[in-house]
Structure formats: C-alpha cells, structure tokens
Amino acid sequence: MSLTEEKALIFEKLPVKKAVLKQIIPSVAAQMVVLIYSLADMYFVGLLNDPIQTASVTVVSSVFIMLTAISNLFGVGGASLIAGALGVGKEEKAKTISAVAFWGAIGTSFIYSLLFLCFYDPLLRLVGATDETIATSFAYAKWVIVIGGPATVANTALATLVRSEGNSVSAAAGVALGGIMNIILDPIFTLPQFLGLKAEGAGIATAISNLAAAVYFLVYLYIMKKRCVVNISPKHIKEFSQNIKQIVRIGLPSFIQLTFTVIAVAAQSKFVSEYTSEAVAALGITKKLDMLPLDFSLGVSNGLLPLIAYNYAAGNEKRRHDCFMFGTAISGGFALLCVIGYEIFAPLLTGIFIDDSVTIQYSATFLRIMVIAMPMMAVCLPMITQFQAMGKVKESLICSILRKGSLDIPLLFLFDAIIPLYGCMIVQPVVDTVSLAAALIFYRAYLKKSKKEQAKTIEAGEQKAENADDELLKEKEHE
C-alpha cells in the first residue's frame, strides 16, 4: 500500500464525524497545552505580585505573535498544498512542498530575530513598553524572540506540516512536549525560592521548551522518513521560486491576520498604557483567558485544514462540507460555554493570576466585554481556514483583514473617546461580527456557484449518455 493510499483511509474512508474527531482532538489538545504553558508564564510571573513584571510579559506578547505569523505563512500554506497534492495522488509534489515550506520558515525566522535584536527599543515602545517596563520587556524578549525565535517557528511549522498528512497525534505530541517542559521549567527559572530570574526566567524556560519540541520533530521525521510524506531534506527542494510563491499565496491570509493582530494588540496596549500599569497588566491577564476559546477554535481549524484541502482537491464536495459543518459546530459550542463561564466567574478567574485588587477589578470588566466576541470568532476562524484549504485567497484575505487590521485602530479611537479605557475592549466583538458576516456571504456565494457547476456536470453527463444511446440505436437500425 502506497503512502497516498494510507492517507486516503483517513481522509476518504472513515465516517465524517470519526475522521473529524481523529484530526481535531489531538490538534485541540495540543493547542490547550500551548495555552496552558502561555498561561504559565503569566501565572508564575503574576505570583511575584509585581505589575511591572506582568506588564512586560504582556508587552512582548505582541511581537511574539509575529513568530506564529511566520510559522503560519509557511506552515498553513504548505499544509494546504501537501493535503491537496495527496488528494490527487502526487506524493513527490507533497515532499517538495514540505521541504520548501520548512526552509522558507527557518530562513524568515532568522531574519526576524536579527531585525528585532537591532531595533528592539523602538519596537517594544511601539507596542506599549514605557521607561518603567522597557528593560524587563527586553530581558524577556531576548530569550523568546532573539534566541528562541527560530526554534519556536520550526516547532509550530513542523507541527502543521506533520498534521497535513493525517498524523495529528504525532503533531500534538511534539507541541505537548514543549508545553509540558515549559510548565515544569517556569517556576524553576522565575520564582525567588528557586533561580528567581523573574520575567527573564520565564523567557528562558520558553526558549528551552520550544527548542526541545523542535528537536522532537526533527528526530520524528528522521525515524519516520520512510512512512511520512513530509520530508525536509534539502534534496527535495525543487522549483523553489514557483513553490514558495504557491505556499506564500495560500498562507498569506494567516500571516496578514496575525501581523495585523500584532498591530491591533499593540495599538490596544498603547491606548491602555495611557492609563495605569495595573490596567496594562489586567489587559495581559484578560488576553490570556481570552485565549482559551481562541486556541480551541484554532485547534479545530488546524485539524480541519487537511481534511478540507484533501477532499476539495479530490472533488468530494459533500464530504468537505460535512467535515466543515461538524467541526464548526464543535468550535461554536465550546465558545458559547466559555461566554457563560467567563461572565459568571470573571473575578475568580482573573484573580488566579495576580493578588492585586485594582488589577483584578480591571481584568474582570475587560474579560466580560471581550468574551462576547468568542462565538463569532469560533465560526469565522474555521471559515477562513476553509477558504485557504480550497485556495480561495481573496475570500480568506478579506475576512482576515476585516477581523484584524482594517477596523481595529479607527474603532479604538472612536470607542476610547466615547467610553475611556473600557471602550478599547468593545472593538473585538465588533470586528469579529463584521468578519463573520463577510465570511457567510462569501461561503453562501461559493455554495450557490458550486451547486450550479454540479448541475451542469450532471446535465452534461446525462446528455452524453443520451447521445450514446442514440448512437447505439442508430447502429442497431443500420444492422
């Protein structure tokens, strides 16, 4: 049995619900581990009860997102093309795409880390660092971006590429390894009863953990090289210019969305930093809690991507649509549960991260406002992923830009002027609603067009059969 035939068992033969769950459960589990270890940084730094340390981690999170953007540019673009190639039986094409995507991601990550090292002061100040927090912010960023950046990109990109051929469990194991290590190392490097390196210690723990996860994937690919389509050996790099353009074209919406997320989060942090350090720390805590439904939806989307891309390339529209609808229902349902829980337990949840009454008061109010956006986001993200998987760059790009970038900053000025400070939190529910509306319009138009094409295909088939019958009848009459 060829590798393509093995993958077909997952993507074509399994019942839809079983196939979706087989892909998204490990993917969601991996995202939850990522969430826990990102919360671990904030939690253990928060135990220091020093708003300056907490605010510094918050500030750096904006520029750290760019590493994920780079991973998605090459990982999501590569994964979509790999699954599509498998859908039409092109194993060698899939291997070429995986090698080009990996080395493109690594090269870009080194460039980003170097640029950050050269211009860290203006960049950190741009995203909300002040004279009070700049030194602590760089101490943390030095490890997570400059030293650990390439390993972070390699870890995330390889997880996405491995998942693209149906190996969701193996991908989740690598991500989980990094997350668990980070949770173990965080208190050792951060807390005063151990090494006591504060925010910088949290950065060191994150860098080591991501390096370990990257090594896991490299070892995994070496051991499984005869059983995996994904292969990062430079010998598989062919037609680099052509393939990198295809990868970037598909991955660009994810990259732009996360890049604009950096801009939007930086702008929001900048607005909030005009008030108090407690408010900045509260925003960081809120963003961490906000990540639970967000990361769950990302996990669902990541798991759905290869299923959708494979079946779209194979021409199986019904299975593609059924996979999408089932996955989106799971994502949306979880988001609704989060809305209920966060609205009821906001003060209790925010109080986990810091023992400062002013910060907790800010955080609880921020959380109750921002969580309203989650149900819209939970449907919109799988839709954007589906457009990418089908190569619908225009649709995914427009929805991505609407969700992050084009509306955020004007609305920040507007709502902050109307409701000082708290108005900044209203922006996300508004932009997610607008983006979802656009996504629904695009998808409805696609379904309408798809039905017309299917009707034409059926009609053409019937006409061909009718013509064949006529020819056969004429032959009989002639005899």
Side-chain angles (χ1 to χ4, degrees):
M1 180 181 289
S2 69
L3 288 178
T4 303
E5 290 172 331
E6 288 184 19
K7 307 310 174 189
L9 291 176
I10 300 172
F11 293 134
E12 294 180 19
K13 307 300 182 183
L14 283 180
V16 167
K17 291 184 179 180
K18 189 173 182 179
V20 170
L21 292 174
K22 185 178 178 64
Q23 281 292 103
I24 69 171
I25 288 176
S27 182
V28 168
Q31 285 295 139
M32 292 301 100
V33 173
V34 170
L35 170 62
I36 292 169
Y37 92 69
S38 66
L39 290 176
D41 278 1
M42 185 65 72
Y43 175 75
F44 288 112
V45 172
L47 289 178
L48 301 171
N49 291 319
D50 182 350
I52 301 299
Q53 299 288 326
T54 305
S56 296
V57 174
T58 302
V59 166
V60 175
S61 66
S62 298
V63 285
F64 184 75
I65 292 173
M66 282 303 300
L67 294 173
T68 306
I70 293 169
S71 298
N72 283 359
L73 177 64
F74 297 97
V76 172
S80 180
L81 291 171
I82 289 168
L86 292 175
V88 292
K90 295 182 178 180
E91 291 180 21
E92 287 303 315
K93 176 68 173 178
K95 289 181 179 181
T96 296
I97 291 296
S98 62
V100 172
F102 173 75
W103 290 108
I106 292 300
T108 306
S109 69
F110 273 105
I111 293 171
Y112 177 69
S113 295
L114 182 61
L115 288 173
F116 180 84
L117 179 61
C118 295
F119 303 105
Y120 73 86
D121 191 277
L123 283 173
L124 290 175
R125 291 184 186 277
L126 183 64
V127 297
T130 62
D131 290 338
E132 198 176 20
T133 60
I134 186 68
T136 309
S137 296
F138 179 68
Y140 179 71
K142 174 180 65 179
W143 288 97
V144 298
I145 296 175
V146 179
I147 298 172
T152 300
V153 170
N155 166 22
T156 311
L158 285 173
T160 306
L161 295 176
V162 168
R163 193 183 299 114
S164 71
E165 58 174 330
N167 295 329
S168 195
V169 173
S170 301
V175 176
L177 171 66
I180 293 169
M181 279 194 66
N182 196 73
I183 294 167
I184 294 170
L185 294 177
D186 251 337
I188 296 173
F189 282 95
T190 304
L191 299 180
Q193 57 265 47
F194 298 107
L195 296 179
L197 297 176
K198 301 182 179 180
E200 181 176 9
I204 295 171
T206 299
I208 293 173
S209 303
N210 282 320
L211 178 60
V215 170
Y216 160 85
F217 280 112
L218 294 175
V219 173
Y220 168 81
L221 290 176
Y222 178 78
I223 293 173
M224 300 293 292
K225 60 185 177 182
K226 292 184 179 180
R227 307 304 308 158
C228 285
V229 170
V230 175
N231 193 312
I232 61 173
S233 172
K235 72 179 182 181
H236 288 293
I237 297 177
K238 301 172 185 176
E239 300 177 337
F240 182 85
S241 178
Q242 178 184 342
N243 286 316
I244 203 72
K245 285 178 183 177
Q246 290 180 323
I247 291 167
V248 169
R249 178 176 172 271
I250 300 296
L252 188 61
S254 289
F255 177 82
I256 288 178
Q257 182 177 180
L258 282 170
T259 301
F260 282 161
T261 296
V262 173
I263 297 171
V265 170
Q268 188 180 45
S269 297
K270 192 70 174 175
F271 271 81
V272 173
S273 69
E274 297 298 320
Y275 295 90
T276 65
S277 291
E278 286 82 1
V280 175
L283 177 62
I285 292 170
T286 303
K287 287 290 187 183
K288 293 296 184 183
L289 289 168
D290 192 50
M291 285 172 65
L292 174 59
L294 175 62
D295 277 11
F296 187 94
S297 296
L298 285 172
V300 171
S301 299
N302 291 338
L304 285 176
L305 187 144
L307 279 170
I308 293 171
Y310 184 100
N311 284 286
Y312 178 76
N316 193 340
E317 278 291 295
K318 184 180 185 306
R319 186 174 175 85
R320 175 204 59 75
H321 178 72
D322 290 346
C323 288
F324 166 72
M325 293 299 292
F326 182 60
T328 302
I330 293 172
S331 178
F334 184 79
L336 286 173
L337 290 176
C338 287
V339 171
I340 296 169
Y342 282 7
E343 293 291 348
I344 296 173
F345 301 110
L348 178 65
L349 292 170
T350 56
I352 293 172
F353 295 94
I354 196 166
D355 185 19
D356 181 83
S357 59
V358 176
T359 304
I360 291 172
Q361 185 178 358
Y362 278 131
S363 298
T365 306
F366 291 172
L367 182 62
R368 283 171 169 153
I369 296 170
M370 292 181 66
V371 75
I372 297 170
M374 289 301 103
M376 285 77 79
M377 173 278 303
V379 176
C380 192
L381 285 181
M383 276 202 160
I384 292 173
T385 298
Q386 177 171 235
F387 290 139
Q388 289 178 285
M390 298 190 299
K392 306 295 181 184
V393 177
K394 181 187 74 174
E395 290 85 348
S396 59
L397 189 59
I398 291 173
C399 293
S400 296
I401 292 173
L402 285 174
R403 185 172 181 271
K404 281 294 180 186
S406 61
L407 301 177
D408 296 75
I409 294 176
L411 290 177
L412 277 170
F413 279 103
L414 175 63
F415 290 132
D416 189 51
I418 297 172
I419 311 173
L421 180 60
Y422 298 100
C424 297
M425 310 304 143
I426 300 174
V427 173
Q428 193 58 52
V430 173
V431 296
D432 270 318
T433 302
V434 173
S435 180
L436 176 59
L440 289 171
I441 291 169
F442 284 135
Y443 191 51
R444 183 180 178 184
Y446 169 78
L447 290 176
K448 188 176 181 181
K449 182 180 178 182
S450 179
K451 285 179 181 178
K452 285 183 178 179
E453 290 176 350
Q454 287 177 2
K456 286 181 180 179
T457 301
I458 293 171
E459 185 179 346
E462 290 175 349
Q463 185 63 48
K464 186 176 180 180
E466 186 178 333
N467 292 339
D469 289 341
D470 290 342
E471 289 293 328
L472 182 61
L473 184 61
K474 287 179 181 179
E475 289 179 3
K476 287 182 178 180
E477 289 176 352
H478 181 68
E479 292 174 359

